[in-house]
Amino acid sequence: MPGHFEIDDSFISEQNQKSKDWVEEDFAALAKKLRRQQVDIEDLVGKAGGFRAAIPSWGVGTGGTRFARFPGEGEPRDIYEKLEDCGTICKLVRSTPAVSLHIPWDQPDDAARLREFARERGLHFDAMNSNTFQDQPGQAHSYKFGSLTHPDPAVRAQAIEHNVECIAIGRTLGSQAHTVWIGDGGNFPGQQHFRRALERYLESMREIYAALPDDWRMFIEHKFYEPAFYSTVINDWGTSYYCARELGPRAFCLVDLGHHAPNVNIEMIVARLIQFGKLAGFHFNDSKYGDDDLDAGSIKPFQLFLIFNELVDAELSQAPNFMPAYMLDQSHNVTDPIESLMMSAAELVRAYVQAHLVDRAALTEAQERCDPLMALHILKQAFTTDVAPILAVARERAGGAIDPIRVYRESAYRKRKGEERPAQKGAAASGIV
Ligand code: RM4
Ligand code: MN
Ligand code: MN
């Protein structure tokens, strides 16, 4: 897209000059403090610099609720503009070079061209996402009463075919994973035969699994309610785990943080899936009540830290089959999606670095000595350490912004996009997520 406004590297480094003093001072002070704990700050900068999470293609557009959607200025109008925004996010934070594509919301007209367009912006494609929870124009059969588990085999066949097509598109894009989330379930007791629905799910998924290229993984995403309000077919991690096992070694369980009942111990679910070699990865977001899709770390940062504590524990102990795919899955209804995604990406790195600060030898000792207070104290010590200077330095060394939100605002990117992307009259959002 020639002539489209971009934030250039020299602007970022100019802006970084303004923050240099405090960063250097705070970094030196933190290095000193960490030395007392026998921690080399450079190791943590390395960890921060190596962390990667994917941006969902649907996340850069303004989201909405079932009540309303309030479109923002200069929203991306197609997948190319969405990739422009993803490129901008990555330029500033440097930890998000992958995009997770949703089909058909962001169905490419020419997948090879899109891959090249992404590559030119330092981006590539992570897991594909299918959609059999909505009807598309011209579709032969409706998903009103389900897709992969629908009683009518013709509906199931259509949903299977859609998933197979997603894999084919993903192949051209260079993706290596396919995520299946279905809205199938029941709104009323008795509506659906629980066991029969799950049998049908497995039957359908076996066909999709058979279409996976050898070097691909399949991610099963569970969710306990919504859009079905009484029961869902893949309701929890136990059902997801059972299905992943039934399907085969390349099927894994994806954890979306918003897809559990309130107060569920998600970090423990994560540990279980790691132990069973079936953790696919995450859709990160945060919630107060349900599948709120709020920004990662905004409501329960300690929970996010505890999840990363399990992940880092698995990383350090080289747990088998441990290759988690990290993605954000949020709905930005009242913020600029680019700002939310940058902040959320930073929250993930923060939790990851803090989890690396846990004194694991001391924690094991406390656990073995049955000393709960000391165990909690060790975790809290890591969680309360302000690692912001580490994140800032890691970003800066990678060419990103010390303060991504400030640099983004200074650049007037959004205003420029508002001029470049006049709102299309009557254009609908790709979906309410
Ligand atoms: C679902 C689920 C899926 C996402 C859709 C839009 O609740 O989280 O991952 O693709 O929303
Ligand atoms: Mn999700
Ligand atoms: Mn969700």
Side-chain angles (χ1 to χ4, degrees):
M1 289 192 184
H4 280 203
F5 175 69
E6 275 180 38
I7 298 177
D8 57 44
D9 291 340
S10 59
F11 181 77
I12 297 175
S13 59
E14 260 166 48
Q15 293 293 318
N16 281 349
Q17 289 309 316
K18 298 185 189 167
S19 315
K20 256 214 136 83
D21 288 353
W22 74 257
V23 174
E24 276 169 13
E25 231 178 273
D26 289 6
F27 187 78
L30 182 58
K32 209 166 150 191
K33 173 181 152 66
L34 293 177
R35 252 197 312 273
R36 283 200 302 273
Q37 295 168 225
Q38 325 292 331
V39 174
D40 182 351
I41 199 166
E42 287 300 331
D43 290 345
L44 295 176
V45 176
K47 292 288 177 199
F51 185 86
R52 296 285 175 269
I55 299 290
S57 60
W58 59 97
V60 285
T62 307
T65 67
R66 61 204 166 101
F67 299 100
R69 193 180 88 88
F70 301 98
E73 185 188 12
E75 288 209 302
R77 296 164 301 177
D78 59 29
I79 183 57
Y80 292 97
E81 292 180 350
K82 287 182 185 181
L83 288 184
E84 273 190 348
D85 288 358
C86 292
T88 299
I89 293 169
C90 190
K91 233 180 182 179
L92 293 167
V93 302
R94 301 281 156 161
S95 58
T96 58
V99 179
S100 190
L101 208 67
H102 190 288
I103 306 293
W105 292 344
D106 294 308
Q107 178 123 13
D109 45 1
D110 178 344
R113 184 173 149 235
L114 191 70
R115 184 180 185 169
E116 183 51 25
F117 184 86
R119 201 193 53 76
E120 285 162 5
R121 282 152 189 82
L123 303 172
H124 63 270
F125 291 95
D126 208 318
M128 301 297 292
N129 300 268
S130 60
N131 178 342
T132 60
F133 50 90
Q134 285 176 322
D135 287 346
Q136 304 304 327
Q139 184 178 303
H141 305 284
S142 172
Y143 296 134
K144 179 173 178 182
F145 293 109
S147 57
L148 294 177
T149 75
H150 196 286
D152 182 350
V155 182
R156 300 204 295 275
Q158 178 184 280
I160 293 166
E161 200 190 309
H162 166 69
N163 278 277
V164 173
E165 195 201 332
C166 289
I167 296 170
I169 298 169
R171 262 184 124 135
T172 313
L173 290 172
S175 165
Q176 286 193 307
H178 180 53
T179 304
V180 182
W181 174 73
I182 52 168
D184 295 34
N187 269 33
F188 296 96
Q191 180 183 335
Q192 197 174 51
H193 189 279
F194 293 150
R195 282 186 288 139
R196 214 153 50 224
L198 189 59
E199 268 162 31
R200 285 179 183 144
Y201 174 81
L202 277 170
E203 208 179 279
S204 300
M205 286 291 271
R206 278 196 186 101
E207 289 195 40
I208 302 168
Y209 188 88
L212 276 186
D214 290 346
D215 54 350
W216 275 50
R217 297 193 295 157
M218 177 186 257
F219 299 164
I220 300 173
E221 185 177 356
H222 60 271
K223 179 170 179 175
F224 79 119
Y225 86 106
E226 201 198 17
F229 284 112
Y230 166 67
S231 64
T232 61
V233 181
I234 308 301
N235 58 305
D236 64 8
W237 75 275
T239 306
S240 172
Y241 173 67
Y242 169 77
C243 293
R245 271 194 67 159
E246 287 292 307
L247 287 169
R250 285 179 292 131
F252 296 85
C253 310
L254 184 116
V255 178
D256 182 313
L257 297 196
H259 292 191
H260 307 89
N263 303 327
V264 162
N265 188 335
I266 300 177
E267 56 272 25
M268 194 159 173
I269 292 172
V270 172
R272 292 285 188 260
L273 290 174
I274 291 170
Q275 189 159 9
F276 305 155
K278 281 293 192 189
L279 178 70
F282 291 84
H283 277 180
F284 286 110
N285 49 54
D286 212 339
S287 64
K288 181 81 178 159
Y289 304 104
D291 187 24
D292 307 342
D293 282 336
L294 295 172
D295 296 8
S298 60
I299 307 284
K300 290 171 283 194
F302 190 48
Q303 180 189 62
L304 188 63
F305 164 80
L306 292 173
I307 289 168
F308 272 98
N309 179 44
E310 297 304 326
L311 294 169
V312 168
D313 189 76
E315 177 191 313
L316 296 175
S317 61
Q318 294 175 330
N321 261 334
F322 181 70
M323 307 165 270
Y326 297 139
M327 277 170 257
L328 290 162
D329 181 6
Q330 306 180 161
S331 181
H332 312 108
N333 306 341
V334 295
T335 55
D336 178 333
I338 291 182
E339 294 191 2
S340 271
L341 287 163
M342 290 196 299
M343 202 142 143
S344 304
E347 288 310 303
L348 302 185
V349 191
R350 186 192 314 283
Y352 178 65
V353 170
Q354 286 176 324
H356 269 288
L357 265 175
V358 172
D359 184 341
R360 292 198 184 264
L363 182 61
T364 304
E365 202 187 311
Q367 289 166 342
E368 295 306 310
R369 285 198 184 162
C370 302
D371 188 345
L373 190 106
M374 191 48 65
L376 175 65
H377 178 67
I378 289 160
L379 291 183
K380 278 290 180 86
Q381 219 172 18
F383 176 65
T384 55
T385 303
D386 180 5
V387 298
I390 295 174
L391 310 193
V393 165
R395 276 194 299 267
E396 192 203 7
R397 287 191 192 165
I402 288 176
D403 186 343
I405 306 282
R406 204 181 52 77
V407 177
Y408 171 75
R409 290 192 176 187
E410 287 290 323
S411 77
Y413 181 90
R414 187 53 78 188
K415 198 176 145 277
R416 299 291 292 267
K417 292 297 149 187
E419 291 153 10
E420 279 173 22
R421 304 169 179 172
Q424 290 155 331
K425 230 180 149 205
S430 46
I432 291 189
V433 294

